[in-house]
Amino acid sequence: GDRLSLWNLEDQSLMWQLDDLPAIVTAIASNSDAAIIALGLSNGHVILVDSVQGDIITSYTVHDGDTAISVMQFAPDDSILAIVEDGSDETLLVDPVDGAELLELTGHDGTILGLQFFADSTTLITSSNDASVLVWDTETGEIMDEYLHEIVVFNVALSPDETRFLS
């Protein structure tokens, strides 16, 4: 809903709660040291939250600000926030600090359903309901590889050594 809660798994206590957000939370991502939480909202906004105190750091609108954010992930070096709006065949790469658009990755013919960065933060893999997986160069926006499937690809996961992926 329009609330974010941080829970302690060890003692099951509520650490903090952020109430009355301007829209429903539809996606959540955490940066590499879990100090910052990015919230994607149903109104196309992103809110960055300090995970220790639960304070809002900043917020910004993605694209037109009308479409819910469905998938979101920080690059391992925290320099990029990858964002997919609901129903979109494009992945937006933005500066997580101010939301400035860095690149728009276009190449899928259907809704992007999953994504994952490689450890170097310069490579991203996306899956789509167009039955494909694309591997991207996040510095140029170029498609590096394409893997075609016979059915919808809901998600992708890289092996720890990044030599294989599951789809």
Side-chain angles (χ1 to χ4, degrees):
D2 61 354
R3 170 185 297 165
L4 179 70
S5 303
L6 181 66
W7 295 89
N8 183 322
L9 288 172
E10 292 177 4
D11 64 10
Q12 299 178 336
S13 65
L14 178 63
M15 297 175 70
W16 53 257
Q17 189 165 286
L18 190 58
D19 291 310
D20 302 321
L21 294 168
I24 296 170
V25 176
T26 54
I28 299 175
S30 175
N31 75 337
S32 63
D33 66 0
I36 298 173
I37 300 166
L39 307 177
L41 303 182
S42 60
N43 64 0
H45 288 77
V46 172
I47 297 176
L48 298 185
V49 179
D50 175 319
S51 68
V52 176
Q53 300 298 321
D55 297 327
I56 293 175
I57 299 168
T58 190
S59 65
Y60 45 84
T61 302
V62 176
H63 259 182
D64 59 11
D66 288 341
T67 307
I69 295 170
S70 60
V71 181
M72 199 166 45
Q73 186 180 59
F74 279 94
D77 69 1
D78 298 327
S79 65
I80 302 169
L81 183 61
I83 298 173
V84 178
E85 294 174 297
D86 191 40
S88 180
D89 60 359
E90 302 170 347
T91 302
L92 300 175
L93 303 183
V94 304
D95 180 327
V97 175
D98 60 10
E101 190 172 311
L102 304 172
L103 278 175
E104 191 170 299
L105 306 179
T106 58
H108 281 291
D109 291 326
T111 301
I112 296 169
L113 302 172
L115 56 81
Q116 186 173 1
F117 279 96
F118 283 64
D120 66 4
S121 298
T122 64
T123 309
L124 178 72
I125 189 168
T126 57
S127 61
S128 170
N129 71 0
D130 68 2
S132 74
V133 170
L134 299 179
V135 181
W136 304 89
D137 181 317
T138 63
E139 294 175 334
T140 65
E142 298 293 320
I143 297 171
M144 299 164 56
D145 287 304
E146 180 177 21
Y147 299 87
L148 301 177
H149 295 61
E150 294 179 7
I151 58 173
V152 171
V153 186
F154 285 97
N155 216 332
V156 289
L158 289 168
S159 64
D161 64 3
E162 298 181 343
T163 61
R164 297 165 289 175
F165 71 89
L166 290 167
S167 59

